[in-house]
Amino acid sequence: MSNSHEAFGNITTSPGQANSALKQGRFNHETVTFEVEGFSHRVCRYGFEKWSQSGFPDMFAGTSPEGPNERAESGGDGEATDKPIRLSGCSNVEFESLIEVMYPLQLTGPPTLSKEQWVGVLKLSRLWDMPEVATVAIERLSAMDLKPVEKINLGKAHGVSTWLKEGYTVLVDDLSKASLKEMMVLGWETAFRILWARDEISRLREATPNAGGYWVSSESLNCGYCYRNWSYKYNVPDPQSRCPNCSNVYTSSGHGVAIIDASTALRSTAPLIDDKPKIVADKVSEVFEEELKEAEMRSAKCTAAKPEPDM
């Protein structure tokens, strides 16, 4: 009968007293015990030290006794199973989802998680300053069928400006993409701003070929700049005249499509340039400017490079 060790090569056991002569290899993972909602988890410290830019590394080094969360008075140091570090601000399901991403049980990369589990991973990666983990969660969630309202809510909650802009753009362009119940979830202020942006765009789209400069009604030629900004209809004699109110005049580079013949423009019903996508994008950037900037700043802060330790 062959020795079972043969399948793994020449394996021998060293006497305990000889271990002190061994050189330290690259891998020497320490473990830590966490308690989440009454569940005990003993895992490698490595992932928390590597992927968290603050909190956990400081806590393990002893420079921050509280770590990323305030621990209960009876909380321990995590070195033993009966002295776990108690984590707050997360559920056990969210924590286990994060552990699956940090320590995948398969060799094919990140695990297959549900939408709710990936949201939990994103939540904790933001909470515990893990930008690389957050990037993976954002990529996986972006590949899923997120509704516009989901993108807005998740974008606000976790600082993802791309989702915010995509969600708002869809609803400003087509409100039928969200149900009444979903709009109520967004809150009255957000819903009002979406409706206001849609109304503004509708007025802009009333213009014939050159919504940016002059536009033609059935009665007269009016200044599109004044109508766009103040809803005033100021008559201009012809496309080359200055507006009596704002003094703007048509220029080929700044006011869209030229109206060569006012009588021809009056009969025209089809725009020469379909600029609706750009108008919607610009309006979203204008109306939701503060939210988008806040999300971008939060994301940039989370992805800031971790400073190298002093040697």
Side-chain angles (χ1 to χ4, degrees):
M1 187 176 203
S2 62
N3 192 318
S4 61
H5 288 169
E6 292 179 0
F8 300 97
N10 186 18
I11 297 178
T12 61
T13 56
S14 301
Q17 61 268 25
N19 289 340
S20 60
L22 295 176
K23 296 179 180 180
Q24 179 61 59
R26 289 177 57 200
F27 303 103
N28 184 32
H29 296 168
E30 297 182 69
T31 59
V32 61
T33 302
F34 293 112
E35 179 185 336
V36 184
E37 292 189 326
F39 291 88
S40 175
H41 301 275
R42 190 156 188 82
V43 296
C44 291
R45 278 175 36 173
Y46 168 77
F48 291 89
E49 291 174 317
K50 178 177 176 61
W51 303 119
S52 177
Q53 293 189 350
S54 60
F56 285 106
D58 296 337
M59 178 180 65
F60 295 146
T63 57
S64 176
E66 296 303 329
N69 295 88
E70 291 185 4
R71 289 178 280 163
E73 292 181 1
S74 60
D77 55 15
E79 292 184 1
T81 55
D82 60 345
K83 295 181 180 180
I85 297 173
R86 293 176 180 170
L87 298 177
S88 60
C90 69
S91 68
N92 187 62
V93 172
E94 292 170 342
F95 186 77
E96 289 183 345
S97 298
L98 177 68
I99 295 300
E100 285 196 58
V101 175
M102 292 170 61
Y103 309 107
L105 300 179
Q106 301 177 6
L107 298 178
T108 55
T112 302
L113 302 179
S114 67
K115 181 192 299 183
E116 290 71 23
Q117 288 176 308
W118 278 117
V119 170
V121 173
L122 177 58
K123 170 189 169 182
L124 297 191
S125 62
R126 289 299 203 211
L127 179 65
W128 294 335
D129 200 8
M130 299 176 171
E132 290 90 346
V133 179
T135 297
V136 174
I138 291 170
E139 289 176 352
R140 292 302 184 276
L141 285 167
S142 295
M144 296 182 178
D145 186 22
L146 294 179
K147 294 182 179 180
V149 172
E150 286 182 304
K151 288 186 176 182
I152 293 171
N153 286 331
L154 291 174
K156 284 183 180 180
H158 307 298
V160 187
S161 60
T162 302
W163 289 348
L164 267 180
K165 191 160 189 176
E166 288 175 354
Y168 283 135
T169 298
V170 170
L171 294 185
V172 169
D173 183 54
D174 185 359
L175 201 56
S176 68
K177 299 297 183 180
S179 65
L180 176 59
K181 184 177 181 180
E182 288 174 323
M183 291 297 292
M184 292 175 65
V185 170
L186 290 178
W188 71 267
E189 182 179 349
T190 298
F192 172 80
R193 287 196 288 168
I194 290 173
L195 293 172
W196 185 86
R198 284 177 56 80
D199 182 67
E200 286 289 291
I201 292 172
S202 294
R203 285 192 288 159
L204 283 176
R205 295 288 290 174
E206 289 178 10
T208 50
N210 57 336
Y214 297 112
W215 66 285
V216 179
S217 70
S218 58
E219 301 173 353
S220 61
L221 191 65
N222 299 276
C223 178
Y225 183 85
C226 292
Y227 185 76
R228 180 181 65 211
N229 289 279
W230 305 293
S231 303
Y232 296 151
K233 296 181 180 180
Y234 282 98
N235 177 256
V236 291
D238 59 70
Q240 284 71 43
S241 299
R242 290 186 179 274
C243 171
N245 179 60
C246 67
S247 299
N248 279 327
V249 68
Y250 168 79
T251 59
S252 59
S253 61
H255 288 81
V257 181
I259 299 177
I260 305 302
D261 184 352
S263 61
T264 302
L266 283 170
R267 295 193 299 270
S268 176
T269 57
L272 299 181
I273 297 178
D274 185 8
D275 54 358
K276 185 180 180 182
K278 183 179 184 305
I279 293 175
V280 172
D282 290 345
K283 186 58 65 175
V284 167
S285 297
E286 173 191 334
V287 176
F288 301 99
E289 179 181 9
E290 291 185 5
E291 285 184 21
L292 293 171
K293 284 185 176 179
E294 182 179 348
E296 289 172 358
M297 290 176 61
R298 182 177 176 186
S299 179
K301 181 180 179 181
C302 291
T303 56
K306 183 178 181 179
E308 295 294 331
D310 295 332
M311 301 300 291

